[in-house]
Amino acid sequence: DNNQKIMNVMEEIEYGFLDNNRNNICDNVDLEDTFNKVYYLMSPEELLNKKIGVCWDQVELERKLFEENNIKNETYFIYIDDKNNLPSHTFLVYYMNSKVYWFEHSWFDEKGVHEYNNLNDLLNDVEVKFIKSRENEVPKGLDVHIYKYNKPNYNISCNEFYNYIFTQKKIFNFKIETATINDLERIKYYKLKTIVEYAKSLSEEEMTKIDNYICESVPALIKEYKNIIYNKKIIGSILIRKIDDGLLLDEIFIEKEYRNKGIGSSIINDYVLNNDYNIYLWVYKDNIKAFNLYKNLGFKIKEETDSRYYMKFQKF
């Protein structure tokens, strides 16, 4: 098939980069310094001619081959923020038959095609494997960042390539972990803040009822809450509960600094909707951004009150 044909082409490419004397700079003990001085991003045509290139070059050839075969693809850049050498890797993903695939050639230990149900699972797997591959080079616990990038200009230097990447779309690949009793106060704060923000003109009596409700409901449901994790930091929480006709997306909170970055839509697409249930939710009418997000994802209004819409994502 086309994927195997593309891999066959890539198998003709070695890993490295030739200097002006046609020496592979990856054999140099001072690789980082040499690489920064002599490297430039090759075009696919030059790579096919020289038959040797690093991951940055190989991904550009992969991009060209996938585009020629009309296969939807995207390219990503991952790096560990060690404030110095910034160990990095570029890789290509493609979409086919409702699945997403990591196509890897230059990273020898991971060479091949890896299948996933969604992009977030793919990126998390790449991140875990990338960190492990560099565990002897950089300290543990450093932040890892991923960027999705469009085709760059060819013949740019190493520093120009980095500068270009940092103008591209930063990806916030999240992890979902079960909440614990230690998350109680934070989740109660989230819940109260959301209600107060969108339920306008609450009386003192109504506020007391809300406080009592939160103090009772959150501890009772704490084992059903999930934390949203990015770079080992809790950036929000989500609550999904089983109801008679499917699942209720009861709550989703994301810290302010992480909003409007595609995290909410990714969570709903990759985590909430990735099952065989109808999905329901309530959304405040004044929460225009959330309402538009749900509408664009395919939720329809089923009922409404003075302040909220009841929406449904129909699976059956």
Side-chain angles (χ1 to χ4, degrees):
D1 62 12
N2 289 334
N3 305 327
Q4 187 56 54
K5 289 179 181 177
I6 292 172
M7 185 62 78
N8 291 341
V9 173
M10 298 308 301
E11 286 288 67
E12 299 177 5
I13 309 298
E14 296 180 42
Y15 186 87
F17 188 84
L18 300 179
D19 63 17
N20 292 332
N21 297 316
R22 298 194 63 80
N23 295 315
N24 186 353
I25 63 173
C26 291
D27 296 332
N28 194 316
V29 292
D30 297 318
L31 172 60
E32 293 294 340
D33 185 55
T34 305
F35 188 83
N36 290 336
K37 288 179 179 177
V38 307
Y39 176 80
Y40 62 89
L41 181 65
M42 288 188 284
S43 69
E45 292 74 21
E46 183 175 3
L47 179 58
L48 283 170
N49 179 51
K50 290 185 173 179
K51 298 194 181 304
I52 183 170
V54 299
C55 60
W56 300 1
D57 309 298
Q58 294 193 30
V59 161
E60 292 311 310
L61 175 55
E62 292 166 6
R63 186 203 303 274
K64 180 176 185 295
L65 296 172
F66 273 90
E67 289 177 351
E68 288 176 349
N69 284 277
N70 296 312
I71 300 173
K72 180 184 176 182
N73 67 90
E74 298 166 346
T75 53
Y76 291 85
F77 179 95
I78 183 171
Y79 77 97
I80 299 174
D81 191 4
D82 67 348
K83 311 299 182 186
N84 185 19
N85 294 322
L86 302 182
S88 69
H89 181 61
T90 58
F91 57 98
L92 179 141
V93 308
Y94 69 92
Y95 297 83
M96 190 173 290
N97 301 324
S98 301
K99 298 285 186 178
V100 58
Y101 298 85
W102 168 22
F103 182 94
E104 184 58 59
H105 176 261
S106 64
W107 184 353
F108 182 80
D109 289 341
E110 301 298 335
K111 182 160 53 174
V113 176
H114 310 263
E115 179 185 287
Y116 304 85
N117 289 324
N118 59 70
L119 179 63
N120 190 69
D121 287 349
L122 183 157
L123 295 177
N124 282 333
D125 191 41
V126 173
E127 179 180 324
V128 168
K129 290 174 177 174
F130 183 66
I131 293 171
K132 184 172 178 58
S133 73
R134 301 299 182 112
E135 61 186 358
N136 295 325
E137 301 175 37
V138 294
K140 292 182 179 180
L142 297 178
D143 286 348
V144 177
H145 302 288
I146 299 178
Y147 285 80
K148 175 184 173 183
Y149 68 101
N150 296 317
K151 183 170 71 174
N153 293 325
Y154 303 137
N155 300 312
I156 59 177
S157 69
C158 175
N159 287 334
E160 288 171 331
F161 184 77
Y162 271 119
N163 290 336
Y164 170 73
I165 291 295
F166 299 144
T167 68
Q168 299 296 288
K169 181 180 180 181
K170 188 172 184 180
I171 304 298
F172 295 86
N173 52 305
F174 60 90
K175 297 178 177 66
I176 300 292
E177 296 179 359
T178 302
T180 71
I181 198 75
N182 296 327
D183 299 300
L184 269 177
E185 294 306 315
R186 178 179 50 80
I187 293 174
K188 285 160 65 175
Y189 170 76
Y190 282 158
K191 192 174 181 72
L192 179 61
K193 186 176 180 182
T194 301
I195 293 174
V196 171
E197 184 175 358
Y198 294 108
K200 307 292 186 183
S201 304
L202 294 169
S203 67
E204 186 174 334
E205 181 181 357
E206 288 171 321
M207 280 301 304
T208 299
K209 288 181 179 179
I210 289 170
D211 281 335
N212 291 337
Y213 164 68
I214 291 174
C215 288
E216 292 174 5
S217 64
V218 174
L221 295 170
I222 190 63
K223 292 183 179 179
E224 297 185 50
Y225 277 94
K226 307 291 183 182
N227 289 332
I228 303 164
I229 312 293
Y230 172 69
N231 261 334
K232 301 170 289 296
K233 177 183 178 183
I234 297 174
I235 64 169
S237 294
I238 186 170
L239 175 62
I240 304 172
R241 296 195 289 130
K242 186 77 174 69
I243 57 176
D244 290 342
D245 190 30
L247 297 175
L248 176 68
L249 175 54
D250 205 341
E251 298 164 21
I252 180 168
F253 314 108
I254 297 174
E255 295 279 5
K256 188 173 182 180
E257 65 184 290
Y258 292 96
R259 295 175 192 168
N260 303 315
K261 299 181 184 300
I263 300 174
S265 56
S266 292
I267 289 171
I268 295 170
N269 265 323
D270 297 341
Y271 182 67
V272 180
L273 301 183
N274 192 20
N275 59 67
D276 295 326
Y277 293 98
N278 295 324
I279 312 295
Y280 299 84
L281 58 84
W282 286 98
V283 60
Y284 283 101
K285 291 180 177 179
D286 286 340
N287 193 349
I288 304 299
K289 285 185 178 180
F291 171 71
N292 287 334
L293 169 64
Y294 298 139
K295 186 172 68 172
N296 291 336
L297 288 170
F299 284 84
K300 307 292 185 184
I301 297 173
K302 305 303 292 183
E303 301 175 20
E304 64 178 291
T305 67
D306 290 342
S307 61
R308 296 193 296 170
Y309 292 119
Y310 188 55
M311 305 185 76
K312 177 181 181 179
F313 185 91
Q314 183 82 35
K315 283 289 186 82
F316 300 103

mmCIF file of all heavy atoms in Angstrom, residues 192 195 203-216:
data_model
loop_
_atom_site.group_PDB
_atom_site.id
_atom_site.type_symbol
_atom_site.label_atom_id
_atom_site.label_comp_id
_atom_site.label_asym_id
_atom_site.label_seq_id
_atom_site.Cartn_x
_atom_site.Cartn_y
_atom_site.Cartn_z
ATOM 1 N N LEU A 192 -17.951 26.694 42.319
ATOM 2 C CA LEU A 192 -18.566 27.926 42.805
ATOM 3 C C LEU A 192 -18.285 29.093 41.862
ATOM 4 O O LEU A 192 -19.180 29.882 41.533
ATOM 5 C CB LEU A 192 -18.041 28.251 44.207
ATOM 6 C CG LEU A 192 -18.583 29.545 44.832
ATOM 7 C CD1 LEU A 192 -20.093 29.468 44.995
ATOM 8 C CD2 LEU A 192 -17.899 29.815 46.173
ATOM 9 N N ILE A 195 -20.497 28.903 38.706
ATOM 10 C CA ILE A 195 -21.893 29.242 38.966
ATOM 11 C C ILE A 195 -22.054 30.747 39.171
ATOM 12 O O ILE A 195 -22.932 31.390 38.578
ATOM 13 C CB ILE A 195 -22.418 28.466 40.195
ATOM 14 C CG1 ILE A 195 -22.479 26.967 39.881
ATOM 15 C CG2 ILE A 195 -23.793 28.983 40.602
ATOM 16 C CD1 ILE A 195 -22.841 26.106 41.068
ATOM 17 N N SER A 203 -29.275 36.005 45.043
ATOM 18 C CA SER A 203 -29.562 36.559 46.363
ATOM 19 C C SER A 203 -28.693 35.869 47.405
ATOM 20 O O SER A 203 -28.065 34.841 47.133
ATOM 21 C CB SER A 203 -31.036 36.348 46.707
ATOM 22 O OG SER A 203 -31.308 34.959 46.875
ATOM 23 N N GLU A 204 -28.674 36.436 48.599
ATOM 24 C CA GLU A 204 -27.889 35.838 49.678
ATOM 25 C C GLU A 204 -28.417 34.441 50.015
ATOM 26 O O GLU A 204 -27.631 33.523 50.276
ATOM 27 C CB GLU A 204 -27.951 36.736 50.915
ATOM 28 C CG GLU A 204 -27.055 36.269 52.050
ATOM 29 C CD GLU A 204 -27.027 37.246 53.207
ATOM 30 O OE1 GLU A 204 -27.269 38.455 52.984
ATOM 31 O OE2 GLU A 204 -26.752 36.796 54.339
ATOM 32 N N GLU A 205 -29.729 34.289 49.961
ATOM 33 C CA GLU A 205 -30.334 32.978 50.229
ATOM 34 C C GLU A 205 -29.918 31.952 49.168
ATOM 35 O O GLU A 205 -29.582 30.808 49.485
ATOM 36 C CB GLU A 205 -31.857 33.101 50.260
ATOM 37 C CG GLU A 205 -32.567 31.784 50.558
ATOM 38 C CD GLU A 205 -34.079 31.929 50.546
ATOM 39 O OE1 GLU A 205 -34.580 33.059 50.371
ATOM 40 O OE2 GLU A 205 -34.766 30.897 50.705
ATOM 41 N N GLU A 206 -29.911 32.391 47.893
ATOM 42 C CA GLU A 206 -29.508 31.494 46.813
ATOM 43 C C GLU A 206 -28.032 31.107 46.937
ATOM 44 O O GLU A 206 -27.658 29.954 46.691
ATOM 45 C CB GLU A 206 -29.771 32.167 45.458
ATOM 46 C CG GLU A 206 -31.241 32.252 45.098
ATOM 47 C CD GLU A 206 -31.490 33.102 43.866
ATOM 48 O OE1 GLU A 206 -30.809 34.147 43.712
ATOM 49 O OE2 GLU A 206 -32.345 32.714 43.054
ATOM 50 N N MET A 207 -27.204 32.067 47.326
ATOM 51 C CA MET A 207 -25.778 31.777 47.501
ATOM 52 C C MET A 207 -25.559 30.758 48.618
ATOM 53 O O MET A 207 -24.709 29.867 48.512
ATOM 54 C CB MET A 207 -25.011 33.056 47.812
ATOM 55 C CG MET A 207 -24.693 33.906 46.589
ATOM 56 S SD MET A 207 -23.696 33.028 45.348
ATOM 57 C CE MET A 207 -22.277 32.536 46.316
ATOM 58 N N THR A 208 -26.328 30.869 49.678
ATOM 59 C CA THR A 208 -26.217 29.909 50.788
ATOM 60 C C THR A 208 -26.588 28.511 50.318
ATOM 61 O O THR A 208 -25.908 27.529 50.640
ATOM 62 C CB THR A 208 -27.127 30.329 51.953
ATOM 63 O OG1 THR A 208 -26.720 31.616 52.422
ATOM 64 C CG2 THR A 208 -27.034 29.323 53.095
ATOM 65 N N LYS A 209 -27.668 28.422 49.531
ATOM 66 C CA LYS A 209 -28.085 27.120 48.996
ATOM 67 C C LYS A 209 -27.008 26.537 48.082
ATOM 68 O O LYS A 209 -26.721 25.338 48.116
ATOM 69 C CB LYS A 209 -29.398 27.259 48.228
ATOM 70 C CG LYS A 209 -30.609 27.503 49.104
ATOM 71 C CD LYS A 209 -31.874 27.613 48.254
ATOM 72 C CE LYS A 209 -33.104 27.835 49.128
ATOM 73 N NZ LYS A 209 -34.329 27.968 48.297
ATOM 74 N N ILE A 210 -26.401 27.390 47.267
ATOM 75 C CA ILE A 210 -25.345 26.936 46.354
ATOM 76 C C ILE A 210 -24.132 26.442 47.133
ATOM 77 O O ILE A 210 -23.573 25.387 46.830
ATOM 78 C CB ILE A 210 -24.953 28.078 45.381
ATOM 79 C CG1 ILE A 210 -26.075 28.320 44.376
ATOM 80 C CG2 ILE A 210 -23.648 27.738 44.649
ATOM 81 C CD1 ILE A 210 -25.892 29.567 43.542
ATOM 82 N N ASP A 211 -23.734 27.186 48.146
ATOM 83 C CA ASP A 211 -22.599 26.780 48.988
ATOM 84 C C ASP A 211 -22.858 25.416 49.628
ATOM 85 O O ASP A 211 -21.991 24.538 49.637
ATOM 86 C CB ASP A 211 -22.345 27.820 50.082
ATOM 87 C CG ASP A 211 -21.584 29.028 49.570
ATOM 88 O OD1 ASP A 211 -20.863 28.885 48.567
ATOM 89 O OD2 ASP A 211 -21.724 30.118 50.167
ATOM 90 N N ASN A 212 -24.053 25.250 50.152
ATOM 91 C CA ASN A 212 -24.406 23.976 50.796
ATOM 92 C C ASN A 212 -24.411 22.834 49.792
ATOM 93 O O ASN A 212 -23.926 21.730 50.072
ATOM 94 C CB ASN A 212 -25.772 24.081 51.475
ATOM 95 C CG ASN A 212 -25.753 25.005 52.684
ATOM 96 O OD1 ASN A 212 -24.691 25.236 53.271
ATOM 97 N ND2 ASN A 212 -26.909 25.528 53.050
ATOM 98 N N TYR A 213 -24.952 23.122 48.606
ATOM 99 C CA TYR A 213 -25.000 22.104 47.547
ATOM 100 C C TYR A 213 -23.581 21.671 47.149
ATOM 101 O O TYR A 213 -23.291 20.477 47.025
ATOM 102 C CB TYR A 213 -25.748 22.662 46.342
ATOM 103 C CG TYR A 213 -25.532 21.883 45.068
ATOM 104 C CD1 TYR A 213 -26.028 20.585 44.920
ATOM 105 C CD2 TYR A 213 -24.816 22.436 44.008
ATOM 106 C CE1 TYR A 213 -25.813 19.874 43.748
ATOM 107 C CE2 TYR A 213 -24.599 21.735 42.848
ATOM 108 C CZ TYR A 213 -25.094 20.452 42.718
ATOM 109 O OH TYR A 213 -24.883 19.746 41.570
ATOM 110 N N ILE A 214 -22.702 22.632 46.964
ATOM 111 C CA ILE A 214 -21.325 22.322 46.562
ATOM 112 C C ILE A 214 -20.614 21.523 47.650
ATOM 113 O O ILE A 214 -19.911 20.545 47.368
ATOM 114 C CB ILE A 214 -20.558 23.617 46.230
ATOM 115 C CG1 ILE A 214 -21.110 24.238 44.940
ATOM 116 C CG2 ILE A 214 -19.055 23.351 46.105
ATOM 117 C CD1 ILE A 214 -20.526 25.592 44.610
ATOM 118 N N CYS A 215 -20.784 21.927 48.887
ATOM 119 C CA CYS A 215 -20.113 21.240 50.006
ATOM 120 C C CYS A 215 -20.599 19.800 50.170
ATOM 121 O O CYS A 215 -19.864 18.949 50.684
ATOM 122 C CB CYS A 215 -20.331 22.015 51.301
ATOM 123 S SG CYS A 215 -19.386 23.550 51.381
ATOM 124 N N GLU A 216 -21.816 19.521 49.711
ATOM 125 C CA GLU A 216 -22.347 18.156 49.798
ATOM 126 C C GLU A 216 -22.024 17.340 48.552
ATOM 127 O O GLU A 216 -21.649 16.164 48.642
ATOM 128 C CB GLU A 216 -23.863 18.204 50.000
ATOM 129 C CG GLU A 216 -24.297 18.750 51.346
ATOM 130 C CD GLU A 216 -25.805 18.906 51.443
ATOM 131 O OE1 GLU A 216 -26.504 18.496 50.487
ATOM 132 O OE2 GLU A 216 -26.278 19.449 52.462
#
